[in-house]
Amino acid sequence: MLRTKFVPVALDQWYQRRQKDAEGEFYRKIAGQGPRNDFKGTTQGLYAAAPDGTFLGYNNNRGPERVRKLLRKALDAFRPADAPPIEAGPADPQYAHVPPEGGLVVDVTAKVLGGYPEPKDWHERIFQVALQRDHLWVRKDEHEALARGKIPESLRVRIARFHLVDGTRGEPPMWKREEIRRLDLALAEGRLSGSVHLETESGDRGFEADLLGFVEAKDGRVTRLDLVAKGLFWGEGRYTKGAPPGKFPLAVRFALASGKDAADRIPPEGGRGWHADYIR
Amino acid sequence: MSHPFSGESHQYNAPVRWLAGLALFLVPEGLSVTEFERLHRDLAPPAVETWRTIPWKTSLLEAREVAAREKKPLFLWAMDGHPLACT
């Protein structure tokens, strides 16, 4: 039904509810007709709307039956009508981030490898086996350094602070610079190796991991950037409740994005609201 | 059979010290290449996932333009964190 009867769009509404541009205005027009219409807080959920912005339904329950009901109801209510074009205009520069020119986009996935108790229901099981997805952005100068066989400090720190996280159950807290207790990650003869110790001041959250990976380059371009971090993680964040008790095994995987997927241009989670800090 | 400790000082005798050193040498520190390869394979997103077969757009304005042209309603999956790439 979604493929044929609708035009589906996936968004991180954190951006759209803030954006001062045509995209943000159109999003707020739709979401403002739903129950979550205070744009100071989250408006997350599933919405159906006509191209002119007429509201056709909302639901924040992702159960298959509830979603089907929302879709059917929206189709019943939909009356095709002309929708005047919207002039896109310039995108709000505070929120419109694109992959760095001449840089790299790296797919990042993470998974908890064990330690969970038996799940109480199917919903909990989904979170326990979930694969976290994100992207690492590499600047042009960092890309060039990698192609020469060097890994810049800025990239090592970005990997540690923003990508060695447990976001398998929701949006994870990132690491502050001072929470990097140890970061040894060296590139020698195409081999990335090292270890990391990240821990909050109180010690309530941490990650101690070993890293191993491989970098290959041809004609000044990186053609392979594969990396794995594996170790013991402990603790959870405000939006990642339900972590396994105590220390549990977590692995994080990095691989160059193909560039063919629409998702490849989605900004890194760690840069949301802190893009300058993320990419510096 | 001789005890591995050499008398009152409780120092390891030479063969035990030699074996301990060999063990440290043989057990690689950190991730092995085999473990790296297994995890890199296991954590790759599945090649086929039903939810990824849906032609999601990532620009609301672009989706609106297509919807207006094709006379279809929009479906917005609007989350905290991008549904396709963050969590």
Side-chain angles (χ1 to χ4, degrees):
Chain A
M1 196 168 6
L2 261 183
R3 280 193 206 99
T4 57
K5 308 277 189 194
F6 288 82
V7 176
V9 56
L11 306 167
D12 178 354
Q13 54 76 49
W14 186 94
Y15 287 95
Q16 276 78 16
R17 66 184 161 90
R18 289 172 167 85
Q19 282 176 219
K20 292 180 176 62
D21 55 20
E23 170 126 344
E25 280 169 26
F26 186 58
Y27 176 77
R28 289 189 293 275
K29 180 178 180 180
I30 295 169
Q33 301 169 71
R36 287 185 152 174
N37 49 21
D38 176 0
F39 297 110
K40 289 182 187 141
T42 183
T43 57
Q44 82 162 11
L46 307 173
Y47 295 85
D52 66 357
T54 302
F55 183 76
L56 298 173
Y58 169 84
N59 179 8
N60 192 30
N61 185 305
R62 279 158 273 173
E65 273 314 310
R66 295 286 297 273
V67 176
R68 250 182 238 122
K69 196 173 160 189
L70 168 68
L71 296 178
R72 288 198 186 107
K73 206 171 153 189
L75 281 178
D76 286 346
F78 178 58
R79 300 287 174 270
D82 287 338
I86 292 178
E87 182 62 46
D92 186 339
Q94 194 176 347
Y95 301 111
H97 306 304
V98 294
E101 198 175 331
L104 297 168
V105 175
V106 180
D107 286 335
V108 184
T109 54
K111 193 173 169 68
V112 171
L113 302 176
Y116 278 116
E118 271 299 303
K120 288 194 247 349
D121 51 34
W122 66 270
H123 192 251
E124 196 171 281
R125 181 178 293 278
I126 286 173
F127 281 95
Q128 292 188 358
V129 300
L131 194 67
Q132 176 198 353
R133 295 160 200 253
D134 199 356
H135 292 114
L136 160 70
W137 280 3
V138 178
R139 295 191 316 251
K140 182 175 187 282
D141 61 304
E142 295 166 337
H143 178 190
E144 289 166 353
L146 283 172
R148 292 193 306 270
K150 309 277 183 201
I151 179 163
E153 175 70 3
S154 56
L155 181 56
R156 297 183 330 133
V157 169
R158 191 176 313 128
I159 288 171
R161 284 187 64 197
F162 300 108
H163 295 286
L164 299 184
V165 294
D166 175 16
T168 57
R169 296 172 305 283
E171 292 176 286
M174 304 295 163
W175 302 105
K176 296 174 188 164
R177 195 167 278 265
E178 60 270 24
E179 290 171 345
I180 301 176
R181 306 290 180 97
R182 188 184 72 254
L183 174 57
D184 302 318
L185 182 58
L187 176 57
E189 295 177 1
R191 187 181 172 111
L192 272 168
S193 59
S195 63
V196 66
H197 176 192
L198 307 160
E199 190 171 342
T200 57
E201 188 181 357
S202 68
D204 64 342
R205 186 166 44 84
F207 189 35
E208 286 189 278
D210 293 314
L211 297 102
L212 181 62
F214 299 92
V215 176
E216 292 171 11
K218 189 178 178 189
D219 300 329
R221 282 202 60 81
V222 170
T223 55
R224 181 189 185 196
L225 200 171
D226 291 336
L227 176 66
V228 167
K230 186 199 169 195
L232 292 176
F233 198 100
W234 64 96
E236 58 192 15
R238 187 176 172 189
Y239 304 114
T240 58
K241 299 289 184 199
K247 293 189 175 182
F248 55 91
L250 177 83
V252 186
R253 169 196 190 265
F254 299 76
L256 282 180
S258 69
K260 295 174 186 164
D261 192 330
D264 289 346
R265 295 187 66 79
I266 293 167
E269 171 81 1
R272 205 177 73 168
W274 308 95
H275 188 71
D277 187 37
Y278 174 86
I279 205 68
R280 73 177 176 183
Chain B
M1 183 187 284
S2 63
H3 194 276
F5 294 113
S6 57
E8 292 176 5
S9 67
H10 282 215
Q11 293 292 307
Y12 286 108
N13 62 25
V16 171
R17 284 200 303 272
W18 186 84
L19 282 171
L22 182 66
L24 280 174
F25 178 76
L26 290 176
V27 176
E29 276 190 35
L31 281 177
S32 68
V33 172
T34 306
E35 197 170 12
F36 158 82
E37 286 172 346
R38 182 180 60 78
L39 286 168
H40 206 267
R41 188 180 58 243
D42 290 353
L43 267 69
V48 180
E49 295 173 289
T50 306
W51 67 279
R52 292 304 305 268
T53 64
I54 294 166
W56 298 105
K57 297 203 173 296
T58 55
S59 157
L60 180 56
L61 287 186
E62 189 192 322
R64 181 197 179 275
E65 199 180 306
V66 174
R69 193 170 60 239
E70 297 182 359
K71 307 281 187 203
K72 287 179 180 175
L74 291 157
F75 177 80
L76 279 66
W77 185 13
M79 291 286 116
D80 268 311
H82 202 290
L84 302 186
C86 295
T87 73

